[in-house]
Amino acid sequence: MIDSHTNDAYTRGVEYLRVMQGFVLAPAMVDVIENLRDSTIICTWIGENIDVVNQALRCCLEDCHECFYPKMRPAIRIFAVPLAQKFGLDGLCNISTSPITILIDAGRVNPKNWLSIVAHEYVHAYLGSPGHGQDFAAVLSHLCLGLGLETPPEKMDAFSLRRWPPYPSIVDPLAFWRGETGICELPRMKLG
């Protein structure tokens, strides 16, 4: 997938973003490379740090898997990627890939809330559906209960379920990707 042995962090970051463009619904959803002001800084930071961020997200994914019997767990891969701000997405689940791909904009969500956004996208993967209906609410309730997250109220409407579990979004998501917020304080993601 990506040459992790290259010594050039910038090239590794650009390569990573190009691969991620293949997992989104449209390549423009990952537009950092065209961001002339910050692209060099962001790509270099990604080349140096993405493995640590992705490992933290994989821990969140494993916590979600633990809430279901092994036979019920969908095949999922998860990656951090700066999503284009014009789409207003903190994360997305591409159910048309095999395995299913979850992409999280780790800069739009405080690391202590990564489990919440991963749980939300996990439900889409579990159901194989982009919707937020009653099936979504039932699986999300089960998952939140297992993860110790706030469960959605009964009879919650689909619009409100789009932002559940609740967490605040970050005002300047690119600050994370520029390395201004640091990753040394990533929380331990495993439960128990």
Side-chain angles (χ1 to χ4, degrees), residues 30-105:
V30 179
D31 71 348
V32 171
I33 297 169
E34 282 74 41
N35 178 333
L36 298 178
R37 185 182 73 128
D38 296 330
S39 66
T40 302
I41 293 167
I42 291 170
C43 290
T44 302
W45 188 90
I46 287 172
E48 293 170 346
N49 299 286
I50 200 62
D51 293 336
V52 172
V53 177
N54 281 339
Q55 181 55 43
L57 289 175
R58 280 192 294 276
C59 287
C60 292
L61 179 64
E62 286 304 314
D63 288 344
C64 292
H65 275 325
E66 291 297 319
C67 294
F68 298 94
Y69 292 114
K71 292 189 309 190
M72 299 174 68
R73 299 173 187 167
I76 304 172
R77 59 186 163 197
I78 189 167
F79 301 102
V81 64
L83 295 169
Q85 293 183 39
K86 65 184 174 188
F87 292 96
L89 297 172
D90 298 343
L92 66 91
C93 176
N94 189 342
I95 58 176
S96 65
T97 61
S98 181
I100 293 170
T101 306
I102 294 177
L103 298 171
I104 302 296
D105 189 334

Side-chain angles (χ1 to χ4, degrees), residues 3-192:
D3 181 8
S4 59
H5 301 296
T6 182
N7 291 331
D8 180 14
Y10 172 78
T11 301
R12 187 168 183 258
V14 169
E15 228 178 284
Y16 177 84
L17 292 173
R18 292 206 192 283
V19 169
M20 293 301 110
Q21 285 179 319
F23 296 142
V24 292
L25 305 174
M29 294 179 84
V30 179
D31 71 348
V32 171
I33 297 169
E34 282 74 41
N35 178 333
L36 298 178
R37 185 182 73 128
D38 296 330
S39 66
T40 302
I41 293 167
I42 291 170
C43 290
T44 302
W45 188 90
I46 287 172
E48 293 170 346
N49 299 286
I50 200 62
D51 293 336
V52 172
V53 177
N54 281 339
Q55 181 55 43
L57 289 175
R58 280 192 294 276
C59 287
C60 292
L61 179 64
E62 286 304 314
D63 288 344
C64 292
H65 275 325
E66 291 297 319
C67 294
F68 298 94
Y69 292 114
K71 292 189 309 190
M72 299 174 68
R73 299 173 187 167
I76 304 172
R77 59 186 163 197
I78 189 167
F79 301 102
V81 64
L83 295 169
Q85 293 183 39
K86 65 184 174 188
F87 292 96
L89 297 172
D90 298 343
L92 66 91
C93 176
N94 189 342
I95 58 176
S96 65
T97 61
S98 181
I100 293 170
T101 306
I102 294 177
L103 298 171
I104 302 296
D105 189 334
R108 291 181 64 93
V109 181
N110 189 304
K112 70 180 181 182
N113 296 314
W114 285 356
L115 184 58
S116 294
I117 184 66
V118 171
H120 180 98
E121 299 304 331
Y122 186 94
V123 176
H124 289 300
Y126 183 86
L127 295 171
S129 169
H132 296 92
Q134 289 310 303
D135 287 346
F136 182 89
V139 174
L140 183 61
S141 291
H142 170 83
L143 193 55
C144 287
L145 191 62
L147 295 171
L149 299 171
E150 185 179 351
T151 56
E154 286 188 38
K155 308 237 183 218
M156 186 176 228
D157 64 77
F159 181 78
S160 299
L161 281 169
R162 292 176 65 197
R163 296 285 295 165
W164 200 274
Y167 58 85
S169 290
I170 303 291
V171 176
D172 180 9
L174 289 181
F176 176 84
W177 298 106
R178 290 189 301 262
E180 296 168 8
T181 59
I183 60 169
C184 57
E185 295 298 321
L186 290 181
R188 177 155 164 70
M189 297 293 176
K190 286 305 231 186
L191 295 176

